[in-house]
Amino acid sequence: MSDSSLRLVWVYPDLLSTYGDQGNALVVERRARQRGLDVMRIDVRSDQPVPTSGDIYLIGGGEDRPQRLAAERLRRDGGLSRAASNGAIIFSVCAGYQILGHEFINDLGEREPGLGLIDVISTRGEGERCVGDVLADIDPQFGLPQLTGFENHQGITHLGPTARPFARTVIGRGNGTGDGTEGAYNDTVFGTYMHGPVMARNPQIADLLLKLALDVNALPPTDDRWYEALRAERIASATQPV
């Protein structure tokens, strides 16, 4: 890490920022500043090189064609892959999650190579889309409360032997494989299908990224009343009988 600031990189907001996913960058930045951290936020458009010196990288979701364009440009650029090799923290959502895997199905119906940063492969489901609120239990090793989010995807993501599920669903489809898994992670690279934005619903995930980037076990407490009110509202909505 820099001696002067935390470098937060928001990747391709012009292609990958559906369902308010840019809110994830806002939440991570705010929660860092609430702890007195100096934050340098860098928004990298798809016609710009991805810096390799960031501490935390965030990638959102997108439609099928922008997803293909983003994957092509990230492969050609190579900056995000080099950042991962340097130990950077990367958190991706939906289309961004699929891009970080080995391959996914693009808008042309073809297999599109990903970056291979998470050991997953994504295919396209033949049934109904995975749409609706999700509740899931995050991997216990992180010590985080239940995950709440909103999914809207046709993709089916299969985990390879070196990927671990980020969470296991209580409500919702998650990775769409029928095994209850939601998202995946390898070391410091994370993926999820959760929108919401996911950091606003789950600020403890933002704190997890900060702790990993800072290499600390705990952060000073902050006022979480707004976040907890939002969480309570969305969890109650998800658990109410239809």
Side-chain angles (χ1 to χ4, degrees), residues 6 8 23-33 39 56 58 199 205-207 209-210 227:
L6 179 83
L8 174 63
N24 293 331
L26 296 174
V27 171
V28 174
E29 181 179 12
R30 175 170 174 76
R31 292 183 74 79
R33 293 190 186 282
V39 182
I56 299 174
L58 301 174
M199 300 293 184
I205 295 177
D207 291 350
L209 304 187
L210 291 173
Y227 298 101

Side-chain angles (χ1 to χ4, degrees), residues 8-233:
L8 174 63
V9 183
W10 174 236
V11 180
Y12 292 0
D14 54 328
L15 293 178
L16 301 173
S17 187
T18 59
Y19 303 112
D21 289 330
Q22 190 167 3
N24 293 331
L26 296 174
V27 171
V28 174
E29 181 179 12
R30 175 170 174 76
R31 292 183 74 79
R33 293 190 186 282
Q34 285 179 312
R35 274 59 180 255
L37 297 172
D38 181 23
V39 182
M40 177 188 296
R41 176 173 155 188
I42 306 167
D43 289 9
V44 181
R45 294 177 59 85
S46 59
D47 60 350
Q48 299 173 318
V50 177
T52 61
S53 59
D55 300 303
I56 299 174
Y57 293 76
L58 301 174
I59 312 172
E63 302 302 324
D64 290 349
R65 184 172 183 274
Q67 181 188 25
R68 172 169 56 86
L69 295 176
E72 292 172 352
R73 294 175 189 185
L74 286 170
R75 290 198 307 270
R76 185 167 60 246
D77 176 81
L80 188 61
S81 295
R82 290 194 294 274
S85 297
N86 293 336
I89 314 303
I90 303 176
F91 191 92
S92 58
V93 174
C94 203
Y97 169 32
Q98 294 185 0
I99 288 172
L100 294 195
H102 297 299
E103 65 179 44
F104 62 92
I105 304 301
N106 65 22
D107 59 309
L108 305 176
E110 301 169 343
R111 298 197 309 183
E112 182 78 25
L115 302 184
L117 301 183
I118 307 180
D119 186 15
V120 300
I121 291 175
S122 297
T123 59
R124 184 166 296 170
E126 300 297 330
E128 296 181 353
R129 288 181 68 85
C130 301
V131 180
D133 275 303
V134 174
L135 292 178
D137 296 324
I138 296 176
D139 188 325
Q141 78 154 331
F142 296 119
L144 299 181
Q146 196 169 53
L147 174 70
T148 169
F150 181 84
E151 62 180 351
N152 185 355
H153 61 95
Q154 192 73 37
I156 306 295
T157 297
H158 306 267
L159 276 60
T162 67
R164 297 184 61 179
F166 183 58
R168 293 192 177 274
T169 57
V170 177
I171 296 174
R173 304 271 298 280
N175 288 325
T177 52
D179 61 0
T181 61
E182 201 300 300
Y185 69 96
N186 286 352
D187 298 324
T188 59
V189 182
F190 299 82
T192 180
Y193 274 111
M194 296 300 96
H195 300 284
V198 67
M199 300 293 184
R201 291 195 185 198
N202 306 272
Q204 294 86 356
I205 295 177
D207 291 350
L208 170 66
L209 304 187
L210 291 173
K211 287 188 287 187
L212 290 172
L214 296 167
D215 194 20
V216 298
N217 293 323
L219 296 170
T222 62
D223 184 353
D224 284 344
R225 286 176 293 179
W226 180 88
Y227 298 101
E228 290 306 318
L230 174 62
R231 280 181 57 80
E233 173 190 304

